Amino acid sequence: MAPLNPGVLESLTTSSALSAAVQAYEVARLPRKDSPNTLAARSRDVAGITPRLAAVAGVTEPLVGDLTTPALRAAFADFSLDHARSSIARCWSTWNGLCGFLVAEDVLPGNPMSGVHRPRPVDQGPKPLRGNDTPEVLLDAVAAGRRARDPWPERDLAVVATLLVTGIRSAELVGLRIGDLAGTAGERRVRVRGKGGAERSLPVEEALAELVDRYLASRARRFPASRGPRLDAPLFVDTRGRELSRHQLQYLVEQCYRAAGVSDRVQRGALVHALRHTFATRVVAGGASAVEVMRLLGHRSLATSQQYVDAGADELRSAAAASRSYAALRTLAGNAGAAQP
């Protein structure tokens, strides 16, 4: 994205280039302090629709005046052919925000996005790993090492364990810096930068801290230097010493599932997030309230956290029902029923 020019706010008309309107919108949003991930997602949404709008209008670069309901409908119809429901919904929100801004600036007479259909939200309930022992099976397999071109079991275990016992998102994990893990023994905490730039501090037990320390020691052996990495250096890196990307993280976690033989226990639509959901349902099973889950996971809505409490209650019922005592009771009940005339 080109450098922002505050002057674009003062000169927008329907004959202005759409790119100028996007610039003005970004300038107007600066006080919100959107996170880099939010900015990147919005940029992708703009890039996904703009060329389609240009094709509909028959121009190289669309103008603000080309933002009509029929044109946007056609652009979104084409966009929807090769994008998931969640991507379409997010893109719709981006363009609705842009058009709403242009209405507020008296550039457009009304918001054309009001006539563009938006996907109905899907009920996204928690998707933890299936199986009561799956996290333990996964950790044991990762600790034993997996087949890889350049195996690094200490790094793999530290990554999977961090996701599993803190519940942080993939973007939050790759954004961690060495200095974010601090504190004395028994009082360690990790600072996490979440959605919208919101920060939270999470407790880190010594078991995890020791795994991270072993990983850092193995990292020092792999990449020796006269001085250790700076506190602002990425906490987790790839096998070349570069900051771990979200794509690399997804691949790493997927390969760890395969190595542990638990790929069939990962619900569709969940990969790294399955570890976050597993963390949440397990802390609920341990007695955590929705408010505590909200603070640990960095949710903005208590309703989102309540989903884990509800799911946790279901899992507890299933676990109780699977006990051997209940099996004995069911046998007795069956025998008693058969004995009655």
Side-chain angles (χ1 to χ4, degrees):
M1 183 177 292
L4 299 179
N5 174 18
V8 297
L9 285 169
E10 304 172 1
S11 57
L12 284 179
T13 67
T14 53
S15 60
S16 299
L18 180 57
S19 58
V22 172
Q23 281 273 306
Y25 182 46
E26 293 298 335
V27 169
R29 288 184 64 95
L30 284 176
R32 292 176 59 94
K33 291 292 183 181
D34 291 331
S35 70
N37 288 332
T38 298
L39 293 172
R42 197 158 62 237
S43 180
R44 289 194 299 271
D45 294 338
V46 170
I49 295 297
T50 298
R52 291 174 165 88
L53 273 175
V56 171
V59 297
T60 302
E61 181 178 4
L63 304 178
V64 172
D66 293 321
L67 293 175
T68 65
T69 295
L72 285 163
R73 276 181 187 158
F76 269 85
D78 187 61
F79 183 80
S80 68
L81 295 177
D82 55 1
H83 286 80
R85 182 191 296 257
S86 58
S87 298
I88 300 168
R90 189 199 63 223
C91 190
W92 188 96
S93 295
T94 292
W95 282 86
N96 184 60
L98 171 61
C99 292
F101 160 75
L102 293 172
V103 171
E105 292 294 309
D106 293 325
V107 181
L108 291 178
N111 190 336
M113 289 298 295
S114 61
V116 179
H117 289 297
R118 183 183 190 182
R120 291 183 180 180
V122 179
D123 183 17
Q124 295 285 359
K127 295 181 178 180
L129 296 170
R130 296 190 180 101
N132 292 332
D133 66 339
T134 303
E136 289 73 28
V137 171
L138 176 63
L139 290 172
D140 287 344
V142 175
R146 62 183 176 89
R147 287 187 177 183
R149 183 178 302 174
D150 186 6
W152 194 355
E154 297 89 351
R155 191 276 313 269
D156 295 353
L157 182 58
V159 166
V160 172
T162 299
L163 291 167
L164 194 55
V165 301
T166 65
I168 62 177
R169 303 176 178 92
S170 57
E172 294 170 345
L173 181 125
V174 299
L176 289 178
R177 296 295 179 260
I178 289 179
D180 289 333
L181 183 62
T184 58
E187 297 292 333
R188 301 272 278 260
R189 302 187 72 85
V190 62
R191 184 181 66 170
V192 179
R193 284 165 286 278
K195 288 185 176 181
E199 292 189 2
R200 64 188 188 281
S201 178
L202 301 176
V204 173
E205 298 297 322
E206 280 307 295
L208 176 60
E210 288 177 8
L211 288 181
V212 174
D213 287 343
R214 289 180 201 167
Y215 149 66
L216 290 174
S218 71
R219 174 172 162 177
R221 292 191 295 271
R222 276 179 168 254
F223 310 109
S226 57
R227 301 169 65 179
R230 295 161 50 100
L231 292 180
D232 60 355
L235 177 58
F236 293 110
V237 296
D238 62 18
T239 54
R240 296 184 180 182
R242 301 173 301 191
E243 180 176 354
L244 195 68
S245 70
R246 292 179 69 176
H247 177 74
Q248 288 174 319
L249 173 62
Q250 290 178 337
Y251 180 78
L252 186 158
V253 171
E254 184 177 25
Q255 293 305 305
C256 288
Y257 288 149
R258 289 181 180 274
V262 298
S263 296
D264 59 337
R265 305 185 192 182
V266 183
Q267 300 185 52
R268 185 176 181 180
L271 191 66
V272 178
H273 237 50
L275 301 177
R276 174 175 168 85
H277 293 174
T278 300
F279 163 79
T281 53
R282 282 198 159 191
V283 296
V284 167
S289 67
V291 173
E292 290 169 325
V293 172
M294 182 179 181
R295 293 178 61 185
L296 287 169
L297 295 186
H299 287 153
R300 296 179 181 178
S301 168
L302 187 60
T304 303
S305 303
Q306 184 63 41
Q307 292 181 344
Y308 293 95
V309 176
D310 296 339
D314 292 339
E315 288 197 351
L316 286 175
R317 176 175 290 275
S318 297
S323 73
R324 295 174 63 184
S325 297
Y326 262 115
L329 286 179
R330 282 189 285 270
T331 300
L332 288 174
N335 292 339
Q340 291 181 358

